[in-house]
Amino acid sequence: MILLKLAISSLYNRRASAFLTLFTIAVSVMLLLSIERVRVDAKSSFSNTISGTDLIVGARTGDIQLLLSSVFRIGHANNGVSWQSYQYIKQQRGVNWTIPLSLGDSHKGQAVLGTSADYFQHYKFAKKQQLSFSQGRAFAHLNEVVLGAQVAAKLGYSLGDSIVISHGMGNTSFHHHDDNPFTVVGILDATGTPVDKTLHIPLAAIELIHSGNHTSHEHEHEHEHEHEQHDDLTGEPKQITAFLVGFDSPLYTLQVRRNINQYKPEALLAIMPGVTLRELWEMLTIVEKILLLFSIVVVLVSLLGMLTTLLASLNQRRRELAILRSVGARPWHLFTLISIESLLITFLGCLVGCGLFYLLMSLATGYLQSNAGITITIAMLSSYELVLIGAIMAAGFIVGLIPATRAYFYSLSDGMSIKI
């Protein structure tokens, strides 16, 4: 107890250097916990780029290729799904909802997605979060478009603006549908998913503009019944790129998936997006390893900084330690004193680091969700994170043994005869 009080008094007397050391450890702890939390939640968020969807159905191809084309808008689907097959599967037992997806057009390099009004009701991301509007509403007529948050911000569009889509993907297109302009009626909130980079138009509009008709015909008036309006916006295209399926119960998923994969009239493929997303993440493990390596480097640098500070301060305290020896302190007293000081600094640094970690996470949660699609979980430290804190404490104690050992071997004469 006496040595503990002496260690506290000693740290207080050297509060400037002690604070800098403590702050260095606190920042390293904050960075370590932040990187670890972001790493874990990034993996979880990636797996939940699309959530609440039981199956994605498209033309028979690779699982990952279908996922990339339908969800991430990467690559092109070689074939589509006929409308007859879509209607047949839609009517299967247990199917609660379906969302048709038609891709292949673009606007200034941003993907254009033809879909139904159900998209805004049933499409979910992260942990089953529903799409919401920052401005406007969902499309209700054939010549209306809903923009993802990044499209609106990047291209500077606002409600009421008129845009023209182009045939084909990419920044360069030689066929613009100039006679079929679309009016911006809604802008979605940022999700951090490919939805932000997408323009959403009615599925029926895709078929009309490709057939040379106009989306602004007089017959496109508002229907009296919502069901009739829904059918008008969907139409009956010859084929679609893919479609999403949600079931009344997850028990139907495997059975319907097997039936679709064995569907004889057409070569189709049904994938479970959650499983395929995890498989895709496994292909990106290099990112996870880099984050882990960065975490280790941060900790090592902070511990080396603490060791340097302790050794530097120890050199300046040789006279103080010699005086302690002269009043009866034994070598193991000096060893214990320095060890307690390093342990106190490490412990307080970990406490402050945890506080900074929670402060940083609370400030960065919204930004990471809207810009990176990472949903941060602000909760108590996990068992693994507590193990990391314990490892830092142990490492800090071990590092403190080096100056403590040096202090142990300092002699009285060496301390009193320091030349200035």
Short mmCIF file of all heavy atoms in Angstrom, two decimals, residues 306-322 325 330-339 342 397-412 414-415 418:
data_model
loop_
_atom_site.label_atom_id
_atom_site.label_comp_id
_atom_site.label_asym_id
_atom_site.label_seq_id
_atom_site.Cartn_x
_atom_site.Cartn_y
_atom_site.Cartn_z
N MET A 306 5.94 3.86 -24.74
CA MET A 306 5.90 3.84 -23.28
C MET A 306 7.25 3.40 -22.72
O MET A 306 7.75 3.97 -21.74
CB MET A 306 4.81 2.89 -22.80
CG MET A 306 4.65 2.90 -21.27
SD MET A 306 3.36 1.80 -20.68
CE MET A 306 4.15 0.21 -20.90
N LEU A 307 7.86 2.39 -23.35
CA LEU A 307 9.17 1.92 -22.89
C LEU A 307 10.22 3.02 -22.99
O LEU A 307 11.00 3.23 -22.06
CB LEU A 307 9.60 0.71 -23.73
CG LEU A 307 11.01 0.16 -23.45
CD1 LEU A 307 11.12 -0.31 -22.00
CD2 LEU A 307 11.34 -0.98 -24.40
N THR A 308 10.20 3.74 -24.10
CA THR A 308 11.16 4.84 -24.29
C THR A 308 10.97 5.91 -23.22
O THR A 308 11.95 6.41 -22.64
CB THR A 308 10.98 5.45 -25.69
OG1 THR A 308 11.15 4.43 -26.67
CG2 THR A 308 11.98 6.56 -25.93
N THR A 309 9.73 6.25 -22.95
CA THR A 309 9.44 7.29 -21.95
C THR A 309 9.89 6.84 -20.56
O THR A 309 10.48 7.62 -19.80
CB THR A 309 7.94 7.61 -21.94
OG1 THR A 309 7.53 8.00 -23.26
CG2 THR A 309 7.63 8.73 -20.96
N LEU A 310 9.59 5.58 -20.22
CA LEU A 310 9.97 5.08 -18.90
C LEU A 310 11.49 5.03 -18.73
O LEU A 310 12.02 5.40 -17.67
CB LEU A 310 9.37 3.69 -18.68
CG LEU A 310 7.86 3.64 -18.46
CD1 LEU A 310 7.38 2.19 -18.40
CD2 LEU A 310 7.45 4.37 -17.20
N LEU A 311 12.18 4.60 -19.76
CA LEU A 311 13.64 4.53 -19.67
C LEU A 311 14.25 5.93 -19.58
O LEU A 311 15.20 6.16 -18.82
CB LEU A 311 14.21 3.79 -20.89
CG LEU A 311 13.96 2.28 -20.92
CD1 LEU A 311 14.46 1.69 -22.24
CD2 LEU A 311 14.64 1.59 -19.74
N ALA A 312 13.68 6.87 -20.35
CA ALA A 312 14.18 8.24 -20.31
C ALA A 312 13.95 8.86 -18.93
O ALA A 312 14.83 9.53 -18.37
CB ALA A 312 13.52 9.07 -21.40
N SER A 313 12.76 8.64 -18.37
CA SER A 313 12.47 9.20 -17.05
C SER A 313 13.29 8.51 -15.97
O SER A 313 13.67 9.14 -14.96
CB SER A 313 10.97 9.06 -16.74
OG SER A 313 10.61 7.70 -16.65
N LEU A 314 13.57 7.24 -16.18
CA LEU A 314 14.36 6.50 -15.19
C LEU A 314 15.78 7.09 -15.09
O LEU A 314 16.35 7.19 -14.00
CB LEU A 314 14.43 5.02 -15.57
CG LEU A 314 15.18 4.11 -14.58
CD1 LEU A 314 14.48 4.12 -13.23
CD2 LEU A 314 15.26 2.70 -15.13
N ASN A 315 16.34 7.45 -16.21
CA ASN A 315 17.67 8.07 -16.20
C ASN A 315 17.67 9.35 -15.40
O ASN A 315 18.65 9.69 -14.72
CB ASN A 315 18.11 8.36 -17.64
CG ASN A 315 19.20 7.42 -18.10
OD1 ASN A 315 19.68 6.61 -17.33
ND2 ASN A 315 19.55 7.53 -19.37
N GLN A 316 16.56 10.10 -15.48
CA GLN A 316 16.47 11.36 -14.75
C GLN A 316 16.16 11.14 -13.27
O GLN A 316 16.31 12.07 -12.46
CB GLN A 316 15.37 12.23 -15.37
CG GLN A 316 15.61 12.58 -16.83
CD GLN A 316 14.40 13.22 -17.48
OE1 GLN A 316 13.37 13.41 -16.83
NE2 GLN A 316 14.53 13.56 -18.76
N ARG A 317 15.75 9.92 -12.90
CA ARG A 317 15.35 9.64 -11.52
C ARG A 317 16.40 8.85 -10.75
O ARG A 317 16.12 8.37 -9.66
CB ARG A 317 14.03 8.86 -11.53
CG ARG A 317 12.86 9.62 -12.14
CD ARG A 317 11.65 8.73 -12.26
NE ARG A 317 11.18 8.25 -10.97
CZ ARG A 317 10.30 7.27 -10.81
NH1 ARG A 317 9.81 6.66 -11.87
NH2 ARG A 317 9.93 6.90 -9.59
N ARG A 318 17.57 8.73 -11.30
CA ARG A 318 18.58 7.91 -10.62
C ARG A 318 18.93 8.48 -9.24
O ARG A 318 19.14 7.75 -8.29
CB ARG A 318 19.83 7.80 -11.50
CG ARG A 318 19.57 6.95 -12.73
CD ARG A 318 20.73 6.95 -13.69
NE ARG A 318 21.90 6.30 -13.11
CZ ARG A 318 23.04 6.11 -13.78
NH1 ARG A 318 23.14 6.52 -15.03
NH2 ARG A 318 24.07 5.52 -13.20
N ARG A 319 18.98 9.80 -9.14
CA ARG A 319 19.27 10.39 -7.82
C ARG A 319 18.12 10.13 -6.85
O ARG A 319 18.33 9.83 -5.69
CB ARG A 319 19.52 11.90 -7.97
CG ARG A 319 19.99 12.55 -6.66
CD ARG A 319 20.23 14.03 -6.86
NE ARG A 319 21.28 14.27 -7.85
CZ ARG A 319 22.59 14.24 -7.58
NH1 ARG A 319 22.99 13.95 -6.36
NH2 ARG A 319 23.48 14.48 -8.51
N GLU A 320 16.87 10.25 -7.35
CA GLU A 320 15.69 9.98 -6.51
C GLU A 320 15.71 8.55 -5.99
O GLU A 320 15.45 8.30 -4.80
CB GLU A 320 14.42 10.22 -7.33
CG GLU A 320 13.12 9.78 -6.64
CD GLU A 320 11.94 9.73 -7.58
OE1 GLU A 320 11.98 10.41 -8.64
OE2 GLU A 320 10.98 8.98 -7.28
N LEU A 321 16.03 7.61 -6.85
CA LEU A 321 16.08 6.20 -6.45
C LEU A 321 17.21 5.95 -5.46
O LEU A 321 17.08 5.14 -4.53
CB LEU A 321 16.24 5.31 -7.69
CG LEU A 321 15.09 5.37 -8.70
CD1 LEU A 321 15.42 4.51 -9.92
CD2 LEU A 321 13.78 4.92 -8.07
N ALA A 322 18.33 6.65 -5.66
CA ALA A 322 19.46 6.50 -4.74
C ALA A 322 19.10 7.01 -3.35
O ALA A 322 19.49 6.42 -2.33
CB ALA A 322 20.68 7.23 -5.28
N ARG A 325 17.10 4.43 -1.65
CA ARG A 325 17.97 3.37 -1.14
C ARG A 325 18.65 3.81 0.16
O ARG A 325 18.84 3.00 1.08
CB ARG A 325 19.04 3.02 -2.19
CG ARG A 325 18.52 2.30 -3.41
CD ARG A 325 18.14 0.87 -3.10
NE ARG A 325 19.27 0.12 -2.55
CZ ARG A 325 20.22 -0.45 -3.28
NH1 ARG A 325 20.15 -0.39 -4.59
NH2 ARG A 325 21.21 -1.10 -2.70
N ARG A 330 14.93 -1.29 -0.28
CA ARG A 330 15.70 -2.39 -0.83
C ARG A 330 15.56 -2.41 -2.36
O ARG A 330 14.64 -1.79 -2.91
CB ARG A 330 15.22 -3.71 -0.23
CG ARG A 330 15.44 -3.81 1.27
CD ARG A 330 14.98 -5.16 1.80
NE ARG A 330 15.22 -5.26 3.23
CZ ARG A 330 16.38 -5.63 3.77
NH1 ARG A 330 17.41 -5.93 2.98
NH2 ARG A 330 16.53 -5.69 5.07
N PRO A 331 16.45 -3.12 -3.05
CA PRO A 331 16.35 -3.19 -4.52
C PRO A 331 14.99 -3.66 -5.01
O PRO A 331 14.48 -3.15 -6.01
CB PRO A 331 17.47 -4.16 -4.90
CG PRO A 331 18.47 -4.03 -3.80
CD PRO A 331 17.67 -3.78 -2.56
N TRP A 332 14.38 -4.64 -4.32
CA TRP A 332 13.08 -5.12 -4.79
C TRP A 332 11.98 -4.08 -4.58
O TRP A 332 10.97 -4.10 -5.28
CB TRP A 332 12.71 -6.44 -4.11
CG TRP A 332 12.41 -6.36 -2.63
CD1 TRP A 332 13.28 -6.52 -1.61
CD2 TRP A 332 11.13 -6.08 -2.04
NE1 TRP A 332 12.67 -6.36 -0.40
CE2 TRP A 332 11.33 -6.09 -0.64
CE3 TRP A 332 9.86 -5.82 -2.54
CZ2 TRP A 332 10.29 -5.85 0.25
CZ3 TRP A 332 8.83 -5.60 -1.64
CH2 TRP A 332 9.04 -5.61 -0.27
N HIS A 333 12.21 -3.13 -3.61
CA HIS A 333 11.26 -2.03 -3.45
C HIS A 333 11.27 -1.15 -4.70
O HIS A 333 10.21 -0.73 -5.19
CB HIS A 333 11.61 -1.18 -2.22
CG HIS A 333 11.27 -1.84 -0.92
ND1 HIS A 333 12.14 -1.86 0.15
CD2 HIS A 333 10.16 -2.51 -0.50
CE1 HIS A 333 11.57 -2.51 1.16
NE2 HIS A 333 10.37 -2.92 0.78
N LEU A 334 12.48 -0.86 -5.20
CA LEU A 334 12.59 -0.04 -6.40
C LEU A 334 11.99 -0.76 -7.61
O LEU A 334 11.30 -0.16 -8.45
CB LEU A 334 14.06 0.29 -6.68
CG LEU A 334 14.81 1.03 -5.55
CD1 LEU A 334 16.23 1.35 -5.98
CD2 LEU A 334 14.07 2.30 -5.15
N PHE A 335 12.26 -2.05 -7.69
CA PHE A 335 11.71 -2.86 -8.78
C PHE A 335 10.18 -2.81 -8.75
O PHE A 335 9.52 -2.60 -9.79
CB PHE A 335 12.20 -4.31 -8.63
CG PHE A 335 11.66 -5.24 -9.67
CD1 PHE A 335 12.33 -5.42 -10.86
CD2 PHE A 335 10.49 -5.96 -9.43
CE1 PHE A 335 11.83 -6.30 -11.82
CE2 PHE A 335 9.99 -6.83 -10.39
CZ PHE A 335 10.66 -7.01 -11.59
N THR A 336 9.60 -3.01 -7.56
CA THR A 336 8.14 -3.00 -7.43
C THR A 336 7.56 -1.63 -7.72
O THR A 336 6.50 -1.50 -8.36
CB THR A 336 7.73 -3.45 -6.01
OG1 THR A 336 8.34 -4.71 -5.72
CG2 THR A 336 6.22 -3.56 -5.89
N LEU A 337 8.25 -0.58 -7.27
CA LEU A 337 7.78 0.80 -7.47
C LEU A 337 7.65 1.11 -8.97
O LEU A 337 6.61 1.62 -9.42
CB LEU A 337 8.73 1.78 -6.80
CG LEU A 337 8.41 3.27 -7.00
CD1 LEU A 337 7.08 3.63 -6.36
CD2 LEU A 337 9.54 4.15 -6.44
N ILE A 338 8.69 0.83 -9.72
CA ILE A 338 8.66 1.11 -11.16
C ILE A 338 7.62 0.25 -11.86
O ILE A 338 6.91 0.70 -12.77
CB ILE A 338 10.06 0.88 -11.79
CG1 ILE A 338 11.11 1.75 -11.09
CG2 ILE A 338 10.03 1.20 -13.28
CD1 ILE A 338 10.84 3.23 -11.17
N SER A 339 7.50 -1.02 -11.42
CA SER A 339 6.50 -1.92 -12.02
C SER A 339 5.09 -1.41 -11.78
O SER A 339 4.24 -1.43 -12.67
CB SER A 339 6.65 -3.33 -11.45
OG SER A 339 7.92 -3.87 -11.74
N SER A 342 4.36 1.63 -14.07
CA SER A 342 4.06 1.25 -15.46
C SER A 342 2.68 0.61 -15.56
O SER A 342 1.93 0.83 -16.52
CB SER A 342 5.13 0.31 -16.00
OG SER A 342 5.15 -0.91 -15.26
N PHE A 397 2.75 -4.29 -18.56
CA PHE A 397 3.46 -4.72 -17.35
C PHE A 397 4.82 -5.31 -17.70
O PHE A 397 5.83 -5.03 -17.04
CB PHE A 397 2.61 -5.76 -16.61
CG PHE A 397 3.29 -6.35 -15.41
CD1 PHE A 397 3.43 -5.60 -14.24
CD2 PHE A 397 3.80 -7.63 -15.43
CE1 PHE A 397 4.07 -6.14 -13.12
CE2 PHE A 397 4.44 -8.18 -14.33
CZ PHE A 397 4.57 -7.42 -13.18
N ILE A 398 4.85 -6.12 -18.77
CA ILE A 398 6.12 -6.72 -19.19
C ILE A 398 7.12 -5.66 -19.65
O ILE A 398 8.31 -5.71 -19.31
CB ILE A 398 5.87 -7.75 -20.32
CG1 ILE A 398 5.07 -8.94 -19.77
CG2 ILE A 398 7.18 -8.23 -20.93
CD1 ILE A 398 4.60 -9.91 -20.83
N VAL A 399 6.61 -4.69 -20.40
CA VAL A 399 7.48 -3.59 -20.84
C VAL A 399 8.02 -2.83 -19.63
O VAL A 399 9.19 -2.41 -19.60
CB VAL A 399 6.70 -2.64 -21.78
CG1 VAL A 399 7.47 -1.33 -21.99
CG2 VAL A 399 6.47 -3.32 -23.13
N GLY A 400 7.18 -2.66 -18.60
CA GLY A 400 7.62 -1.96 -17.39
C GLY A 400 8.67 -2.71 -16.60
O GLY A 400 9.39 -2.11 -15.79
N LEU A 401 8.80 -4.02 -16.83
CA LEU A 401 9.81 -4.81 -16.13
C LEU A 401 11.24 -4.43 -16.56
O LEU A 401 12.18 -4.61 -15.79
CB LEU A 401 9.58 -6.31 -16.37
CG LEU A 401 8.31 -6.91 -15.77
CD1 LEU A 401 8.22 -8.39 -16.10
CD2 LEU A 401 8.27 -6.70 -14.26
N ILE A 402 11.36 -3.91 -17.76
CA ILE A 402 12.70 -3.55 -18.26
C ILE A 402 13.30 -2.40 -17.45
O ILE A 402 14.39 -2.53 -16.89
CB ILE A 402 12.65 -3.23 -19.76
CG1 ILE A 402 12.20 -4.47 -20.54
CG2 ILE A 402 14.02 -2.75 -20.26
CD1 ILE A 402 12.01 -4.23 -22.03
N PRO A 403 12.62 -1.25 -17.33
CA PRO A 403 13.17 -0.20 -16.48
C PRO A 403 13.18 -0.59 -15.00
O PRO A 403 14.05 -0.14 -14.24
CB PRO A 403 12.24 1.00 -16.74
CG PRO A 403 10.98 0.41 -17.25
CD PRO A 403 11.39 -0.79 -18.03
N ALA A 404 12.21 -1.44 -14.59
CA ALA A 404 12.20 -1.87 -13.19
C ALA A 404 13.44 -2.71 -12.87
O ALA A 404 14.03 -2.59 -11.78
CB ALA A 404 10.93 -2.68 -12.91
N THR A 405 13.84 -3.55 -13.83
CA THR A 405 15.04 -4.36 -13.64
C THR A 405 16.29 -3.49 -13.59
O THR A 405 17.20 -3.72 -12.77
CB THR A 405 15.17 -5.38 -14.78
OG1 THR A 405 13.99 -6.19 -14.81
CG2 THR A 405 16.39 -6.26 -14.59
N ARG A 406 16.34 -2.48 -14.40
CA ARG A 406 17.47 -1.56 -14.36
C ARG A 406 17.54 -0.83 -13.02
O ARG A 406 18.61 -0.64 -12.45
CB ARG A 406 17.37 -0.56 -15.51
CG ARG A 406 17.56 -1.17 -16.89
CD ARG A 406 17.69 -0.12 -17.96
NE ARG A 406 18.86 0.72 -17.73
CZ ARG A 406 19.23 1.71 -18.55
NH1 ARG A 406 18.49 2.00 -19.61
NH2 ARG A 406 20.29 2.44 -18.29
N ALA A 407 16.37 -0.42 -12.52
CA ALA A 407 16.34 0.26 -11.23
C ALA A 407 16.80 -0.66 -10.11
O ALA A 407 17.42 -0.22 -9.12
CB ALA A 407 14.92 0.77 -10.94
N TYR A 408 16.49 -1.94 -10.26
CA TYR A 408 16.87 -2.92 -9.24
C TYR A 408 18.39 -2.97 -9.05
O TYR A 408 18.88 -3.12 -7.93
CB TYR A 408 16.33 -4.29 -9.68
CG TYR A 408 16.64 -5.40 -8.71
CD1 TYR A 408 15.78 -5.67 -7.64
CD2 TYR A 408 17.78 -6.19 -8.85
CE1 TYR A 408 16.05 -6.69 -6.76
CE2 TYR A 408 18.07 -7.20 -7.97
CZ TYR A 408 17.20 -7.47 -6.92
OH TYR A 408 17.47 -8.48 -6.03
N PHE A 409 19.12 -2.80 -10.14
CA PHE A 409 20.57 -2.94 -10.07
C PHE A 409 21.31 -1.61 -9.87
O PHE A 409 22.54 -1.57 -9.84
CB PHE A 409 21.10 -3.62 -11.35
CG PHE A 409 20.71 -5.07 -11.45
CD1 PHE A 409 19.72 -5.49 -12.34
CD2 PHE A 409 21.32 -6.02 -10.63
CE1 PHE A 409 19.36 -6.83 -12.41
CE2 PHE A 409 20.96 -7.36 -10.72
CZ PHE A 409 19.98 -7.77 -11.61
N TYR A 410 20.52 -0.54 -9.77
CA TYR A 410 21.19 0.73 -9.48
C TYR A 410 21.74 0.69 -8.06
O TYR A 410 21.05 0.30 -7.11
CB TYR A 410 20.21 1.91 -9.62
CG TYR A 410 20.00 2.36 -11.05
CD1 TYR A 410 18.90 3.14 -11.39
CD2 TYR A 410 20.91 2.03 -12.04
CE1 TYR A 410 18.70 3.57 -12.68
CE2 TYR A 410 20.72 2.45 -13.34
CZ TYR A 410 19.62 3.22 -13.65
OH TYR A 410 19.44 3.64 -14.94
N SER A 411 22.91 1.13 -7.90
CA SER A 411 23.53 1.16 -6.56
C SER A 411 23.44 2.57 -5.98
O SER A 411 23.24 3.55 -6.69
CB SER A 411 25.00 0.74 -6.63
OG SER A 411 25.73 1.68 -7.39
N LEU A 412 23.60 2.64 -4.70
CA LEU A 412 23.55 3.94 -4.01
C LEU A 412 24.64 4.87 -4.51
O LEU A 412 24.39 6.03 -4.81
CB LEU A 412 23.70 3.73 -2.51
CG LEU A 412 23.73 4.98 -1.64
CD1 LEU A 412 22.44 5.77 -1.80
CD2 LEU A 412 24.00 4.62 -0.19
N ASP A 414 26.11 4.81 -7.37
CA ASP A 414 25.88 5.20 -8.75
C ASP A 414 24.87 6.35 -8.80
O ASP A 414 25.01 7.30 -9.57
CB ASP A 414 25.33 4.01 -9.54
CG ASP A 414 25.00 4.36 -10.98
OD1 ASP A 414 25.90 4.85 -11.67
OD2 ASP A 414 23.84 4.14 -11.39
N GLY A 415 23.85 6.27 -7.94
CA GLY A 415 22.83 7.31 -7.95
C GLY A 415 23.34 8.62 -7.40
O GLY A 415 22.94 9.69 -7.87
N ILE A 418 26.10 10.88 -9.93
CA ILE A 418 25.78 11.26 -11.31
C ILE A 418 26.42 12.60 -11.61
O ILE A 418 26.29 13.57 -10.86
CB ILE A 418 24.26 11.35 -11.52
CG1 ILE A 418 23.63 9.97 -11.31
CG2 ILE A 418 23.93 11.87 -12.91
CD1 ILE A 418 22.15 9.95 -11.41
#
